[in-house]
Amino acid sequence: MPSLRPLFVTQLYEASLNREAGGAALVAELEAACLMLAEEDAAGRAWCRAQGYGGYTSYASLNDLATRAPAFGALKRRLDRHAAAAAEAFGFDLGGRRPRLDSLWANVLNPGAGHSGHIHPHSILSGTVYVRLPAGAPGLKLEDPRLPMMMAAPLPRPDAPETQQRFVTVRPEPGAVLLWESWLRHEVPPNRARTARISVSFNYA
Ligand SMILES: [Fe+2]
């Protein structure tokens, strides 16, 4: 009987703060902290307006979230463990070193807004912690990294296994922690919920 052997696999690391002691409470604290930033960070709001970002992100304005509110500091300590676990699970040879948090930013995505396909340069692991996902809020759409080489490749059947699809949309629950290699292109489709979608994203170098 012939068999299939998956090669060059793209991994997605999935965990949940809800399964950790105090994790659910931390998610509630993060929600309040993200909304506080969105209200108080005038430079960030101005950047979002200038860039046409539909909502608020601290990405371009604040680089000290882990010291700005205790919730972000507590999150960083947990993410350090997840990043180390992901690096181990992905088989990275880091020469005995651990992944180091390079950036951490809050996202409050308004109804109707999305974030088109992108990668995260200058880092090895990227990811998101999902804080608030109202009904109709989008998940995370991941793209097959080999897409540019598929000029004549037949499309997969809709019933083909997830491992053989070109796009996979993950629908996380609040509290979910997702990590992937930073070169993996992904997007957030438009938010069809009536309220904001809140998440905290990060890069490890
Ligand atoms: Fe991203």
Side-chain angles (χ1 to χ4, degrees):
M1 180 81 175
S3 63
L4 293 176
R5 180 167 169 175
L7 297 175
F8 316 118
V9 176
T10 305
Q11 301 285 9
L12 176 67
Y13 175 97
E14 298 180 283
S16 175
L17 297 179
N18 299 328
R19 291 196 288 269
E20 302 173 6
L26 177 59
V27 174
E29 273 180 62
L30 288 168
E31 180 172 358
C34 290
L35 291 170
M36 180 268 291
L37 289 180
E39 181 128 346
E40 292 180 2
D41 175 17
R45 282 209 312 275
W47 185 87
C48 294
R49 261 197 310 280
Q51 299 293 320
Y53 185 89
Y56 166 77
T57 177
S58 65
Y59 181 70
S61 52
L62 304 175
N63 61 6
D64 57 352
L65 248 53
T67 54
R68 192 167 278 265
F72 295 116
L75 179 64
K76 178 200 178 293
R77 290 190 288 280
R78 291 172 191 249
L79 290 179
D80 284 348
R81 290 199 291 274
H82 284 295
E88 176 69 22
F90 293 178
F92 288 174
D93 179 0
L94 298 181
R97 291 177 300 170
R98 292 167 66 90
R100 176 179 49 77
L101 184 70
D102 182 64
S103 41
L104 177 77
W105 65 98
N107 309 291
V108 180
L109 197 63
N110 284 345
H115 191 183
S116 58
H118 62 279
I119 61 170
H120 292 208
H122 308 301
S123 47
I124 60 169
L125 290 169
S126 296
T128 296
V129 178
Y130 293 85
V131 175
R132 189 212 276 169
L133 289 160
L140 178 74
K141 186 174 177 184
L142 301 155
E143 183 180 310
D144 188 330
R146 301 163 301 178
L147 218 50
M149 301 163 208
M150 296 183 188
M151 285 81 74
L155 288 174
R157 292 189 316 267
D159 65 340
E162 184 178 74
T163 49
Q164 275 138 255
Q165 297 296 335
R166 304 287 186 245
F167 298 92
V168 174
T169 298
V170 183
R171 304 204 174 280
E173 296 286 314
V177 180
L178 303 182
L179 277 117
W180 57 87
E181 290 196 60
S182 303
W183 46 256
L184 184 62
R185 228 173 106 92
H186 55 281
E187 71 172 275
V188 182
N191 180 8
R192 289 193 309 274
R194 289 197 189 153
T195 52
R197 171 194 194 272
I198 302 178
S199 60
V200 178
S201 295
F202 52 87
N203 287 327
Y204 275 79

